[in-house]
Amino acid sequence: MNKIGNISPRQAFFLILILLNGIFYLMLPRQLVNEVGSMGWLALMLGLGAAIAIIGFITGLGRRYADKSIVQYAPLILGKALGYPISLVLLLYFAMLAVGSLRIFAELLNSALLPETPRLVLIGSLVLLVYWVVQNGLEDIARVTEFLSPFIIFLLFLALLGNIQYADISRLKPVVFIEWWKIGRGILSTVSYFGLVVTLLMLFPFIKPYDRVARMGFFVVVTGGLISGVTYLSLLTTFGVEETARMAWPVLEMVRMVRISSFLERLDALFLAVWLTTAFLNASLLSFCFLEGTSQLLGYSYRKLTLPVLGIFVVITLLPPGLIQVLNIYRYLEIYGFVITLGIPLLLFLVSSIKKGGKHGAEKNR
Amino acid sequence: MKETKKPLKLNRFSRSQEPRLRPEKEGAKEPKEEKNQENQEPKKPEEKEKEKEKEKVNISPSLQDNLKFLKDVFKGCSDIVYREFKIGTARLPAAVVFVDGLVNKAAIENFVIRSLNLYARSVPRDLTKPEDIFTWAKDGAMNNAELKEIENMDDVMSGFLSGDTAVLFEGCTKALLIGTKGWATRGISVPDTESTIRGSKEGFTETIRINTSMVRRRLRSNKLKIEARKIGKQTQTDVSVLYIDGIVNPEIVKEVHKRLDKIKEVDSILESGCIEQYIEDNPWSPFPQMQYTERPDKVVAYLLEGRVVIMIDGTPQCLIVPALFVQFLQSPEDYYERILVGTAVRWIRYLGVFTALTLPALYIAITTYHPEMIPTPLAITIAGTREGVPFPALVEALIMEISLELLREASIRLPGAVGGTLGIVGALIVGQAAVEARLVAPVMVVVVALTAIGSFVVPSFAAAIPFRLVRFPLMIIAAVLGIYGVMLGWIAVLIHMISLKSFGFPYMAPLAPLRVSELKDALVRGPRWQMMTAPQFRKPQEAPPPTMLKQPYLQGENGEDQGQGGEEK
């Protein structure tokens, strides 16, 4: 079973969609409300535009360097001195996100379901599953995602639908205001958020057939953006700007309000199941990206690296003492993440366009 | 880098080469080398053995030598009959050798001995040379349907051991093998383990020939291939590989033969389960990766889907490969019943599987950790009934679940009528007594009953067992981590099931990897006429004519289609 396997564009679609509407999706609305208040829609739209551009760069690069991941073609484009550090930065970003998704999930579980269970147990047990599926290869990660995502999307849809009863359009005001600084911050964080599609830089060589990746990328960003946007609007109409900003887990709070008559009142457990699975899927995908990239960098089989790396992940995950520190760290990722998510693909794309270096290689490799 | 490049080139079928038999796994360390080694190195010893086999014992011209040889080889085998006689007026000594009980004695007496002994006396006297008599015997003297000329003692032995009769002649280095198979068999009866309301009531028997005939009777096509081979050094069991040429994906047939070739050296094949364990992809998984069935109609349906069937002599169960998980939850009835009914019944089964797998675990998790999750009145009811029960929910559940498994196992071993009684005794009386003794809560009894019923709706017994097994670890993890544990357990089961392969085909297809066009036979039971676009096992070029995908018999213009609907082809 020593293989990684290929995935179909549809599987890639689900992988990225669950990444966009996964564990980080829980953080986005609060972040947006904090930064731009009721004008988050603009930030979301611009972020969406940036994400589509990123997809464009990634698929452009992917076509030039088919069968190669960023770790392999970055040195070809920028030279070894610049290429390796850049891929390293990207890999660290993946690792950071993987660790982040685990920790955010543990915090969520601690606050909502299992207040007394030590985080080590929560994270450790989840990481064991991550270890298992990552060992099985990308193909299996993709299949598990593909299997679970319809349920996840369906439940999210139900939650949004169930919340319509509380909606109050007047809470959306003011729809337009001009405070450039705030709006700029909001845009940065949405660019970082949608920039999660940079995982495609790692996944591209595994997606077959590759000519459908661009379309898939476009759809996934639009779908993910739509879900995030609707959630954001739904939160605002339910809670209003001020209340949302004060909540630790606004999305979870919103879901808690969903009830079916007076009988089923606590549907949040169902949604914790959703975020458990998304946390697992996100952590698996991001760990895979990190591990595969590292193994390409070092020339080892990533299966040997998995156990130690995931062990280190668990340790790092446990480092911040509380939720506030986690949120602070995450804020940095949100603000400066765009340097990585937008900057790296853009830089590589521009340089390779100027050099036109990979053109011949691409034809040969196919 | 090499690591990543290599798998990129693999297509779906080259993946199917990856699963291995255990013996081979030890030898092959590196997957890259595997392919080369497979073709070259491991074959060398095999070839040598084949050469050895070729040095077979020749038939001696002396009849007595031959008989002596056979009697030496079969020393202590009292069921072997040697009958010597003289042919016709030439008085040429000859002998028949057969195994008592395996043959149709009347056929031997009437068509072999009587022909050679009695009728031969009317043959002209000039037929005296042994060779001439042999030719005469072969060409016309015996009126049996099957007759074969053989040239060495090994064929003689394997021939009469499988129920044929060997005829040896003095002065001849050849012998005749006459088809006289005729042992006592069980009649064709209703397959107990796979009963259906609608559809054929025939089940396979223990004789492979009868079984293949039942398939052939339903599938009168020259495309149906039945490839025979023998497996088992000691048992020499007849094994047939069935498939429909032109529909089946030849890669699957090749893979089946490849895997069967690898187990030539095993001692015995007593049941389909023996072969199954040798050649399945992951023997350590609780989930079956091949389906077994006793129903000829099921076999034909799967053959038409492009699968390969392995039939084994001596067992009514035959194996269907490759198997997908969803097919274990399907019953032939689904296809015979109405579309909506078939679909609804499938969903009931999915619900049953879910119940059987997780209901006790959920009960434990909710009563132990999260009583707030269920509606308050229900939570109060449950808490009220648990009042006075001395055990934690896990122990309570384990007591009941284990006694359920005990009952189930016991009722299988008991004869039919008594088994039913035991079920009533167990379920009603023990359950009631346990509740009254306040050992378990009444809700627990309900949960256990639902679990049991849930696992009974799975049409395949083999597929119900893993859920019964996996339930216990789930219960334990639910007791440790609550609902979070149950979810972890689910994900773990899912990861495992998704990683499984059956002859290289992903086990969870068409759900994961998602194949939308095949969901019509998984999530729902689509209309018959849409089932024409056949599943992944078919050869890609085998596309049905587009008109078949509608309801051809309802279109009216082509009156000749009426009634037949093109189902058979």
Side-chain angles (χ1 to χ4, degrees):
Chain A
M1 310 243 160
N2 216 343
K3 60 164 177 59
I4 294 165
N6 294 329
I7 58 177
S8 67
R10 178 163 45 208
Q11 289 175 327
F13 174 87
F14 283 123
L15 282 174
I16 306 284
L17 186 67
I18 294 303
L19 195 59
L20 286 180
N21 295 122
I23 206 80
F24 299 106
Y25 160 78
L26 286 175
M27 314 285 283
L28 178 75
R30 206 181 68 97
Q31 205 83 15
L32 269 183
V33 170
N34 270 332
E35 281 160 3
V36 269
S38 56
M39 254 190 71
W41 57 271
L42 181 67
L44 274 171
M45 279 169 67
L46 290 174
L48 205 71
I52 292 171
I54 295 173
I55 294 278
F57 300 143
I58 293 174
T59 46
L61 284 167
R63 278 168 197 229
R64 279 176 207 165
Y65 298 94
D67 277 351
K68 285 196 174 66
S69 78
I70 176 154
V71 177
Q72 290 158 334
Y73 61 64
L76 295 180
I77 297 175
L78 298 172
K80 283 184 181 172
L82 208 54
Y84 284 124
I86 277 196
S87 9
L88 197 64
V89 167
L90 190 70
L91 291 180
L92 287 178
Y93 181 66
F94 290 148
M96 194 76 175
L97 288 175
V99 167
S101 60
L102 286 173
R103 180 58 191 254
I104 294 168
F105 163 72
E107 290 294 337
L108 179 74
L109 209 59
N110 253 339
S111 67
L113 192 68
L114 296 167
E116 281 159 32
T117 317
R119 284 192 201 104
L120 177 64
V121 176
L122 297 179
I123 295 170
S125 49
L126 195 65
V127 165
L128 278 181
L129 289 184
V130 171
Y131 170 70
W132 188 5
V133 80
V134 169
Q135 285 286 310
N136 282 350
L138 179 64
E139 208 167 47
D140 280 23
I141 300 176
R143 284 178 188 168
V144 175
T145 312
E146 199 178 24
F147 186 86
L148 291 171
S149 14
F151 296 99
I152 295 171
I153 306 293
F154 177 69
L155 285 173
L156 283 182
F157 181 71
L158 271 194
L160 293 174
L161 209 65
N163 246 48
I164 286 183
Q165 47 183 325
Y166 306 107
D168 178 0
I169 304 284
S170 66
R171 293 199 183 112
L172 284 180
K173 285 175 188 171
V175 178
V176 180
F177 58 86
I178 298 178
E179 278 181 69
W180 292 114
W181 168 245
K182 274 189 171 179
I183 294 173
R185 280 282 299 275
I187 293 169
L188 289 192
S189 64
T190 48
V191 171
S192 309
Y193 170 76
F194 285 112
L196 287 170
V197 294
V198 288
T199 39
L200 271 180
L201 281 174
M202 227 28 249
L203 297 181
F204 196 92
F206 302 112
I207 306 176
K208 298 284 151 66
Y210 75 117
D211 48 352
R212 274 165 55 201
V213 177
R215 212 179 59 181
M216 176 281 292
F218 176 75
F219 279 121
V220 76
V221 171
V222 170
T223 319
L226 211 63
I227 296 177
S228 311
V230 172
T231 315
Y232 169 75
L233 289 182
S234 160
L235 273 173
L236 277 193
T237 52
T238 312
F239 297 119
V241 173
E242 273 147 40
E243 217 178 320
T244 314
R246 266 187 269 121
M247 289 175 181
W249 311 104
V251 181
L252 191 64
E253 296 296 334
M254 181 181 82
V255 162
R256 275 205 174 135
M257 291 175 65
V258 180
R259 57 193 57 189
I260 300 167
S261 75
S262 60
F263 183 68
L264 281 175
E265 293 173 346
R266 293 288 309 266
L267 288 176
D268 50 328
L270 203 58
F271 290 96
L272 280 175
V274 168
W275 282 302
L276 163 69
T277 40
T278 57
F280 159 72
L281 297 173
N282 293 352
S284 309
L285 179 64
L286 291 165
S287 309
F288 172 81
C289 286
F290 174 74
L291 284 163
E292 177 59 25
T294 317
S295 81
Q296 287 175 4
L297 212 57
L298 302 177
Y300 279 122
S301 159
Y302 85 86
R303 285 181 170 78
K304 288 177 197 157
L305 297 174
T306 314
L307 197 58
V309 165
L310 287 181
I312 296 169
F313 278 11
V314 174
V315 175
I316 298 175
T317 310
L318 293 171
L319 282 183
L323 178 60
I324 298 177
Q325 287 83 354
V326 175
L327 291 180
N328 282 337
I329 296 170
Y330 186 71
R331 253 181 66 201
Y332 283 109
L333 269 187
E334 282 276 45
I335 297 170
Y336 301 109
F338 81 94
V339 180
I340 297 169
T341 60
L342 185 60
I344 291 182
L346 181 63
L347 176 72
L348 288 173
F349 185 74
L350 286 180
V351 176
S352 86
S353 296
I354 295 164
K355 283 173 84 174
K356 303 247 175 190
K359 254 193 174 170
H360 307 289
E363 301 311 318
K364 267 182 203 167
N365 279 327
R366 287 287 162 184
Chain B
M1 270 173 68
K2 281 172 194 169
E3 273 269 325
T4 59
K5 269 195 172 177
K6 195 83 187 174
L8 289 177
K9 287 172 190 161
L10 296 176
N11 59 20
R12 191 158 90 204
F13 299 124
S14 54
R15 233 186 279 155
S16 68
Q17 292 167 357
E18 151 210 272
R20 295 285 162 250
L21 301 171
R22 272 164 297 164
E24 193 202 331
K25 225 176 192 176
E26 289 157 16
K29 284 161 199 164
E30 286 280 305
K32 288 167 208 160
E33 292 167 36
E34 230 170 270
K35 275 184 190 165
N36 303 330
Q37 283 182 352
E38 252 167 48
N39 296 334
Q40 297 159 8
E41 285 179 29
K43 269 200 173 172
K44 278 180 185 170
E46 274 176 31
E47 275 170 11
K48 274 179 194 170
E49 278 170 30
K50 271 181 189 170
E51 279 165 20
K52 271 183 197 170
E53 277 174 28
K54 274 176 191 168
E55 299 163 10
K56 287 173 177 168
V57 184
N58 289 325
I59 299 173
S60 147
S62 154
L63 178 67
Q64 286 312 316
D65 284 358
N66 287 333
L67 289 179
K68 189 170 172 291
F69 172 79
L70 286 177
K71 281 174 183 166
D72 279 350
V73 173
F74 289 93
K75 196 184 271 176
C77 303
S78 58
D79 57 341
I80 297 182
V81 178
Y82 311 88
R83 165 77 160 85
E84 293 175 56
F85 56 90
K86 297 216 162 73
I87 296 177
T89 46
R91 312 302 291 162
L92 182 78
V96 291
V97 186
F98 58 91
V99 179
D100 196 13
L102 280 187
V103 295
N104 179 354
K105 260 190 197 163
I108 300 179
E109 284 158 3
N110 291 335
F111 305 128
V112 182
I113 301 179
R114 185 181 295 174
S115 305
L116 294 181
N117 196 0
L118 195 64
Y119 298 160
R121 289 180 196 166
S122 58
V123 172
R125 279 179 179 271
D126 55 337
L127 208 62
T128 46
K129 277 190 192 165
E131 288 79 23
D132 294 342
I133 291 179
F134 179 85
T135 317
W136 164 78
K138 193 182 127 195
D139 290 346
M142 285 177 287
N143 309 325
N144 301 73
E146 288 173 54
L147 192 144
K148 208 166 99 186
E149 189 182 314
I150 45 178
E151 294 180 342
N152 60 58
M153 285 311 261
D154 296 85
D155 289 346
V156 169
M157 291 186 283
S158 71
F160 67 72
L161 281 178
S162 52
D164 293 331
T165 299
V167 186
L168 299 163
F169 298 86
E170 173 74 41
C172 265
T173 55
K174 290 176 189 167
L176 288 177
L177 201 61
I178 294 151
T180 54
K181 290 192 181 81
W183 49 83
T185 59
R186 187 171 64 96
I188 295 173
S189 61
V190 182
D192 289 332
T193 51
E194 292 170 86
S195 53
T196 56
I197 307 285
R198 190 168 184 171
S200 151
K201 301 274 186 274
E202 272 187 346
F204 285 133
T205 70
E206 281 75 3
T207 308
I208 195 165
R209 222 6 108 209
I210 297 179
N211 296 349
T212 54
S213 74
M214 285 158 83
V215 174
R216 180 68 83 181
R217 193 153 58 80
R218 287 172 169 76
L219 204 79
R220 292 162 201 170
S221 159
N222 63 334
K223 298 276 179 65
L224 170 65
K225 306 293 176 198
I226 303 177
E227 292 177 351
R229 54 160 71 223
K230 279 189 166 49
I231 300 181
K233 251 184 175 171
Q234 305 292 335
T235 58
Q236 290 284 312
T237 312
D238 284 317
V239 173
S240 289
V241 177
L242 284 76
Y243 59 91
I244 301 182
D245 198 22
I247 289 184
V248 76
N249 185 328
E251 296 288 334
I252 303 176
V253 182
K254 214 193 275 172
E255 180 71 19
V256 168
H257 278 303
K258 201 175 106 196
R259 292 190 190 191
L260 289 178
D261 279 340
K262 294 262 164 63
I263 61 170
K264 259 184 190 161
E265 299 302 305
V266 300
D267 262 7
S268 66
I269 298 295
L270 300 175
E271 213 278 329
S272 57
C274 306
I275 287 194
E276 185 181 351
Q277 287 169 51
Y278 277 119
I279 66 174
E280 72 190 338
D281 297 57
N282 184 352
W284 292 104
S285 166
F287 292 95
Q289 294 138 53
M290 280 178 223
Q291 189 170 20
Y292 65 78
T293 183
E294 298 185 42
R295 298 184 60 95
D297 55 341
K298 210 168 177 174
V299 163
V300 173
Y302 280 125
L303 285 173
L304 286 167
E305 276 185 16
R307 300 194 213 216
V308 176
V309 171
I310 305 171
M311 274 190 182
I312 298 103
D313 192 35
T315 174
Q317 272 93 20
C318 58
L319 298 169
I320 300 165
V321 294
L324 304 182
F325 175 68
V326 285
Q327 92 188 40
F328 290 98
L329 300 179
Q330 298 168 353
S331 156
E333 249 176 333
D334 299 0
Y335 300 95
Y336 304 152
E337 274 297 343
R338 312 190 59 74
I339 299 167
L340 287 179
V341 176
T343 304
V345 168
R346 276 196 184 167
W347 278 94
I348 298 267
R349 292 200 198 108
Y350 296 147
L351 188 70
V353 166
F354 178 81
T355 317
L357 185 61
T358 49
L359 200 61
L362 278 180
Y363 173 80
I364 292 172
I366 288 175
T367 52
T368 317
Y369 290 98
H370 326 281
E372 78 281 357
M373 265 181 190
I374 44 180
T376 324
L378 181 61
I380 291 170
T381 313
I382 292 179
T385 59
R386 292 206 71 232
E387 182 84 46
V389 175
F391 304 115
L394 173 67
V395 178
E396 191 192 351
L398 279 181
I399 291 176
M400 284 310 285
E401 293 290 342
I402 290 176
S403 41
L404 172 77
E405 293 302 322
L406 281 175
L407 273 172
R408 205 175 337 204
E409 190 57 25
S411 62
I412 295 175
R413 304 292 150 231
L414 284 172
V418 191
T421 322
L422 184 79
I424 295 167
V425 170
L428 291 181
I429 301 180
V430 175
Q432 183 66 26
V435 169
E436 274 178 15
R438 291 216 169 273
L439 287 176
V440 295
V443 182
M444 189 65 231
V445 179
V446 175
V447 167
V448 171
L450 285 177
T451 317
I453 295 167
S455 68
F456 287 143
V457 299
V458 180
S460 161
F461 184 71
I465 295 175
F467 292 113
R468 279 159 60 183
L469 265 182
V470 171
R471 200 167 72 215
F472 288 96
L474 261 185
M475 279 157 63
I476 291 168
I477 196 172
V480 178
L481 286 172
I483 205 100
Y484 173 62
V486 178
M487 291 169 199
L488 286 183
W490 279 345
I491 296 183
V493 172
L494 188 67
I495 296 176
H496 173 66
M497 289 177 75
I498 279 179
S499 73
L500 284 181
K501 296 216 164 70
S502 175
F503 279 71
F505 284 89
Y507 192 55
M508 288 300 275
L511 302 173
L514 190 64
R515 300 209 173 98
V516 178
S517 63
E518 285 168 36
L519 286 182
K520 62 176 182 277
D521 197 16
L523 292 186
V524 295
R525 203 282 277 163
R528 280 300 279 173
W529 55 91
Q530 289 202 343
M531 296 287 189
M532 295 299 294
T533 49
Q536 48 181 324
F537 309 109
R538 274 203 184 189
K539 278 202 299 195
Q541 64 264 35
E542 278 291 315
T547 49
M548 287 291 183
L549 301 181
K550 295 166 194 158
Q551 270 175 291
Y553 36 88
L554 286 190
Q555 282 165 352
E557 294 139 358
N558 306 336
E560 69 274 10
D561 270 344
Q562 286 218 348
Q564 292 184 347
E567 282 182 14
E568 297 304 322
K569 278 193 177 177

